[in-house]
Every structure is written in structure tokens, then in C-alpha cells.
Amino acid sequence: MSKSVAMNRRAFLGTAAAMGTAGLVLPAAAQQVDPYTGQPIYGATAGATPDAGAVQYEQSNQRHNISSFRAQDWRPYFDNLTNGAILCDLTSRAVHYWSEDETVYRVYPSSIPVSSDLTRTGRTEIIKKVEGPSWAPTPDMRKRNPEWPEFVGPGPDNPLGTHALWLSWQYYRIHGTHDTRKIGRKSSNGCIGLYNEHIAELFGLSNIGTQVLLI
């Protein structure tokens, strides 16, 4: 299997899972820096969009709070479970879901924003659900990255993966990613990313009006 950083985006996405951490040993000369996030990029091509073949790695290892991957009580975070509840824990990089009748509890590993200035915390809710979402960079992204395309339709190059949950905060989503190595890392421009199979499940469990808390 080729490990060349010159591989195209489609080929990179198709081999990402098999490569594991191989990108960490790429020669320094081949590395680029994302002008928006300041993070090293591996496998990037001109105009690559976030999560579309460009893999970012944190420059330092961080210990995660693995206790958050165990069953948690919703009561410290929500007054009730009306319409269900989603907790996005940025410290442990985990997303928790509780159904309104408390019969369903799920916890998923997630990606989180790469920097504090891209991170928003507090209470919001799901206002829209889209299967096969399209993507467009925000105005701020366009200013910082004018080479990025203005629109990316559904498919393997789409940064939002297979499903997306729109939050009441403009431009913020909980969505999937085709680049599985993003999960568990600081690798997003503000949104919360999940494996495609996990966002598909959460998409089915959640509703318009499901309350969301980011801490």
C-alpha cells in the first residue's frame, strides 16, 4: 500500500483506516500547516477541505478522562429529558445521549475543535436533521482559506460525513466524518465529529428539539 503524501483525496480516504498512525512518520518536508487551525496536515492537496483527506494531529499527547466513557447520570447536566438529551464533553472527547424515557443511553468518542477560539460551550438544541448533508465554508473560513471550494455536495469528500445534526448556534453541527483518524482528536473547526456509524445511530435516536449541552 502506498504511503505517498501525493495520493489524491479519494485514495487517501479509502486507505486512512488501514494506515493507522503511518502519517506520523512522513518526512517533515512533506508536512503542511493548516492556515486556519495552525495544526500540521498530512496527506493534504491544494484546496483540500477539512476532513477531506487532510489529517491533523495534535503536537502533544493529552491524557483523556476515560471515566466519561462509562455510564453517566444525566441529572447533574439537565433538569429533565424532554425530547432526549445530548451531552458533548470536550474534556473526555465523548458524546452522551439519553432518551426521554431513559430506556436508551449511548456514549460515543468524538472529535473536538482544535483551539479555544473555535470552541463554544453552553446549551443549545437540534433544529435540523440532514442525511447526506452538503457543506459550505463559513465566511470566516473563506477569508482564511480562499482556495477552499464554495460548496461540497454529499459524498466521500464531504466534511460532514453521512449525517449531520444542525444546532441552534449558527454554523455549529454534530456530524459524521469520513476520516476516522479525526475521532478522539482536536481536529475540527468548531463542530463535534463522530464516526459515520455513530452519527447514523444518534441521528435516528434524536429529534428536532433534543436538548444539547457542550461542556
Side-chain angles (χ1 to χ4, degrees), residues 23 25 38-39 43 52 55 73 107 109 116 122 128-129 140 146 149 159 187 195 206:
V25 298
Q39 295 295 302
V55 178
D73 185 359
V107 59
S116 59
K128 182 179 178 181
K129 299 171 58 177
D140 189 48
S187 60
Y195 290 115
S206 60

Side-chain angles (χ1 to χ4, degrees), residues 129-135 152-155 158 160-164 166 178 203:
K129 299 171 58 177
V130 178
E131 183 174 358
S134 58
W135 176 86
V152 179
N158 191 290
L160 302 185
T162 60
H163 299 73
W166 264 240
H178 297 296
F203 186 94

